[in-house]
Each structure stands twice: as C-alpha cells, then as structure tokens.
Amino acid sequence: QGSLLYLDALGAAFPRALARRGTAVLHWSPGCPRAPAGWPLPSLYCTPAAAAVLPSRAAALRLQLLFALRQRALHVLEAGLAAELHDALLTLRTEWPRLARELELGRLSPQPGLPEELREQLQALLSPAVARAAEIREQCARGFEGIALRLWPRLEVVVVRTMYGTERLYCDSLRQADCRGLPFYCPFYQAAGALLGVNLWPAEPVPRFVLSPDWAFCEFLPCLASKEPRTVLLDELWEGREYGLVVTAQPGEYRCRAGEVLKVTGFHKQCPVVEPVRRESQTLSVRGESIPEEQFCQSLCRTLSLWPGARLVDYVCVESSLLGDSSGPCAPHYEVFMELQGLRDLSEVQRYKLDQCLQEDFPIYKSFRFKGSIGPLRLHLVRPRSFTRLREALGSPVPMPRVLREEQLLQLIQGAVIS
C-alpha cells in the first residue's frame, strides 16, 4: 500500500518520471517496503539483484553507480539515504576515468569486496557502451557542478528515504553541486523499523507525512506537558504541537520509544500530517544542558559564516565521557570532528568561534561555561573522505549519527585527525 501511494504521488507530481508500460519492482517485508540491499540505487531500476549480496558498502555503491551510468534515459535517481547518493557521486568524481573504461570495454575490473565469481556473473550483463563512455568522459572533464542532469538529461527528480535531520546536510550539498537543478522527494516516514507515513506532496521542499492509522500502532508523548505526560492517540493530536513517538510495530516490540520528536503541521482529511523535528538520542548533554542535534547544527553553520571560504562537508560530536582517560583532567566538554573544504587549517581564535556561538545560542551552556563546570569545546579537522569510511564502518544503511556513542567509531575518526 505504501509503495503504491508513493508511485501514485510521484507520477502525479512528475508525469514523465514513470514511463508508460514501464516496470517498477516493489519489494515488501512486514512493516515496510524494502529492496534486497535496503533500497536500490538507482531507480527505476537498473542494478542487478546480485549486487545486494556484496559485503562492502563501497563496492555495492560503485557497482550501482556503474550500472546507472549505462542508462542515459533515467527519469528518477533513487537512494535509500542521501548519504549513499552523496558517496556514490563522490566515487564518480575520483573514479570516472576507470568507470568510463569499464563501460567502454564491457568489463568489470577486479576490486576489493567483489568476489571473482560474482564479478564474472555481473560482467555478463555489462555489454560494451562505447558512445556512453565517451559522453561520460566529456561531461566529467567539464567538472561536477550539475553533473547529474548532464549525465542523465531526462532526470525528473531525486528520491531519497530521508532528507530531514542528519540527512539534510547531504541533501543540501547535493542540491548545491552534483544535483543542482533537481527537486528532491522523500516519500516515506519510517521509525523503529516500521513504515508510519507517506509524503503526498513531492513538489514541496520540506517533507511532511500523513500518518497512516493502520500501518503500526502509534502513541504520542506531549513535549510540553507540565506534569508526567501520558500518551495520546492519533485523534487527540493538536496542530502546532510537538510529540515524542511511541511505536508498537512488530510482535515482541511493545511500546517502543522511537527516540524521535514530531511536529503536527495539519491534517489530511482526518489523518495528522507531521514533520520530524529531532532525534532525542542525538542530544548533546554533559551537565544536563541538552543541546538538540538540529540546533547544534544551526550554531555550527553560523560559525562557518565567520570562516571565509570554508564549506562544511561533514561533522560528528563526542561527549568527553566517551574519551575516558584520554580527555585528561579537564571539565566535561564536547569534541567536534569536522571535514572542511576551502580551509586547510584553523587558528585558535577561529576554533573558539564555535564555542562562542554555542554560548550565544544556548544561555544554559553559557552559564555552565562561565562557572567552569563545562570545559571549552575542542575542534578537530579530519582528512578528506574520513566520513565515507565512517559510514562504511556503521554497516547497515542507517542515518549518520551526529553524536558518537561507540568507542570503535570514535577511534576511527580520531585516527583521521590532521589538525
């Protein structure tokens, strides 16, 4: 039902996106529609199913990109996460001569994570495409701004599973560069492993979702309740208010707090329409100050405007408690790891700007800093593609955490620090 609503809304907003008598492959499992590898890239659909068994995320994205490049007539470019599309097009920037050569010869070159038997199986599907290889070389040699529309001139829309919260950074980056000129559509709202709502307004820039009353059982905790809040149901929601989400979706998963906050923006007939606001698990708090993910990002972006020439590629935060003895005897504090373009290093004065912006934006943080119970923020720059490797280490296709809670991921990003 969710997949058909998605295709109906997509076809209504972008009439040329779905070709007449074309084939769309819908994969379903209890709770949400899924494809073998989470959600295929690209769509509608030219990657062999065998690509789903590749153990390496990087190898799977490269293979999906290669088969997408063969299809000049793509109307829709689809990815499970905006970060996946971001990383696939980053691969295009660095490997386009080799990718064009493979298309020209119709031969897959050996690569890490691609078993030889599977390589031969996929190569049988890859006939030589000499003219297409020449076109790819010509367009990539011109640069990568607007490359998606130049490589696939019939593209109507980019479809991603998530373009709110942590994924907004990747959507904004794609809109400004590789996918310039293309609208983005986020069709589904999923949480706690369940499909909960569908976006019926593909042409609108900010995604909002109609909650379906029979896809999962949802309860809602009012965020501004003066007393201990009690959960309310779909018919008790008020427009303009924020609610924490509680889901009962699968057998054995009884009243699971999804860790997400929704804002009710209106109603479609009698069903609430919501916008995801923040992820509760991604709140920074070393003294109970509770700085939400999206508000920290706003302070970070304001700081970037004070660094002439700097462009943010990616970032994560760490609470000093995860650092253990390595944080030294100083007061609890935040550590921020960033990848930047346009600046090779930052002075101490520039680095302090982020701490200063946080104090201006969050009075409670400022009071703790003034009293010395929270120490100064520490800012580290990491080498290029560090966050691509971090997403590879995350394993399953999940939105990028902005606050790291695992020592293994912390060690990986610490090992990439250059300044």
Side-chain angles (χ1 to χ4, degrees):
Q1 185 185 26
S3 295
L4 295 176
L5 283 171
Y6 151 47
L7 293 176
D8 181 67
L10 180 68
F14 305 99
R16 292 181 294 175
L18 302 177
R20 182 183 291 273
R21 291 186 295 275
T23 301
V25 181
L26 304 181
H27 299 270
W28 182 87
S29 65
C32 61
R34 291 179 61 87
W39 196 314
L41 165 72
S43 171
L44 296 157
Y45 290 92
C46 50
T47 305
V53 303
L54 286 173
S56 163
R57 175 182 182 271
L61 287 179
R62 186 186 188 280
L63 191 66
Q64 290 167 335
L65 174 64
L66 181 67
F67 277 88
L69 290 170
R70 290 181 76 241
Q71 306 292 330
R72 189 179 191 274
L74 281 185
H75 290 255
V76 179
L77 196 61
E78 185 179 76
L81 297 173
E84 292 176 334
L85 183 56
H86 175 276
D87 289 347
L89 293 176
L90 184 60
T91 298
L92 177 67
R93 288 173 178 254
T94 57
E95 293 195 38
W96 64 266
R98 184 177 166 193
L99 290 163
R101 182 68 172 167
E102 291 178 28
L103 288 175
E104 182 177 56
L105 300 177
R107 304 192 66 155
L108 281 171
S109 56
Q111 56 182 290
L114 183 60
E116 183 63 25
E117 181 179 350
L118 179 57
R119 187 180 74 85
E120 293 177 359
Q121 178 185 348
L122 292 168
Q123 186 167 291
L125 304 173
L126 193 68
S127 56
V130 178
R132 182 60 174 157
E135 183 179 24
I136 290 167
R137 290 191 182 101
E138 177 187 355
Q139 295 299 335
C140 290
R142 290 172 50 194
F144 292 90
E145 186 170 314
I147 189 66
L149 266 177
R150 288 191 280 117
L151 289 177
W152 300 288
R154 299 184 188 179
L155 274 182
E156 294 279 308
V157 61
V158 177
V159 175
V160 291
R161 187 180 75 200
T162 306
M163 57 185 290
Y164 47 84
T166 183
E167 291 290 295
R168 187 177 297 135
L169 178 65
Y170 309 116
C171 287
D172 290 345
S173 176
L174 289 167
R175 282 194 184 105
Q176 293 165 13
D178 299 63
C179 296
R180 181 184 289 269
L182 284 167
F184 278 62
Y185 172 37
C186 176
F188 298 125
Y189 176 60
Q190 294 174 276
L195 177 63
L196 304 180
V198 63
N199 180 0
L200 300 180
W201 305 275
E204 294 187 5
V206 178
R208 53 195 182 102
F209 306 91
V210 179
L211 293 180
S212 174
D214 57 354
W215 290 351
F217 181 69
C218 296
E219 301 169 84
F220 305 88
L221 282 166
C223 289
L224 298 179
S226 56
K227 300 179 180 179
E228 186 69 25
R230 68 170 186 87
T231 57
V232 298
L233 302 179
L234 280 172
D235 62 336
E236 300 175 283
L237 299 181
W238 287 79
E239 184 174 351
R241 295 186 182 178
E242 295 183 358
Y243 299 87
L245 179 63
V246 180
V247 179
T248 300
Q250 308 279 353
E253 295 180 358
Y254 175 64
R255 302 192 83 194
C256 168
R257 288 198 67 161
E260 301 206 12
V261 174
L262 308 175
K263 182 178 181 179
V264 179
T265 62
F267 294 85
H268 178 70
K269 300 183 179 179
Q270 291 183 314
C271 291
V273 178
V274 300
E275 288 181 13
V277 175
R278 59 184 173 273
R279 298 181 296 173
E280 293 174 318
S281 64
Q282 299 301 294
T283 297
L284 278 166
S285 188
V286 294
R287 288 288 188 189
E289 68 281 9
S290 299
I291 298 180
E293 166 188 17
E294 79 283 1
Q295 293 181 21
F296 179 90
C297 187
Q298 290 172 12
S299 297
L300 178 57
C301 291
R302 189 162 73 87
T303 306
L304 281 167
S305 68
L306 305 175
W307 299 338
R311 188 180 76 82
L312 178 65
V313 177
D314 222 329
Y315 77 96
V316 290
C317 306
V318 175
E319 295 169 354
S320 59
S321 57
L322 188 65
L323 299 167
D325 295 338
S326 64
S327 66
C330 59
H333 61 278
Y334 309 151
E335 304 223 357
V336 180
F337 300 82
M338 302 174 58
E339 181 181 337
L340 293 178
Q341 285 185 351
L343 283 183
R344 305 186 70 175
D345 201 358
L346 293 170
S347 67
E348 288 303 316
V349 173
Q350 287 176 311
R351 291 170 192 261
Y352 180 68
K353 290 292 184 183
L354 178 54
D355 193 280
Q356 192 173 33
C357 284
L358 281 175
Q359 292 184 48
E360 292 170 359
D361 295 340
F362 299 96
I364 187 170
Y365 177 78
K366 182 177 182 178
S367 69
F368 281 129
R369 288 283 291 112
F370 180 77
K371 291 183 287 189
S373 53
I374 292 182
L377 178 148
R378 295 180 179 177
L379 184 59
H380 310 277
L381 300 185
V382 300
R383 65 176 64 96
R385 303 203 73 168
S386 298
F387 287 90
T388 302
R389 289 185 282 273
L390 186 63
R391 285 189 286 275
E392 182 82 22
L394 282 170
S396 59
V398 295
M400 181 78 174
R402 288 297 172 215
V403 182
L404 295 185
R405 308 288 186 190
E406 299 180 26
E407 290 186 13
Q408 179 184 357
L409 298 178
L410 170 61
Q411 292 170 5
L412 192 155
I413 201 68
Q414 282 179 318
V417 171
I418 55 175
S419 170

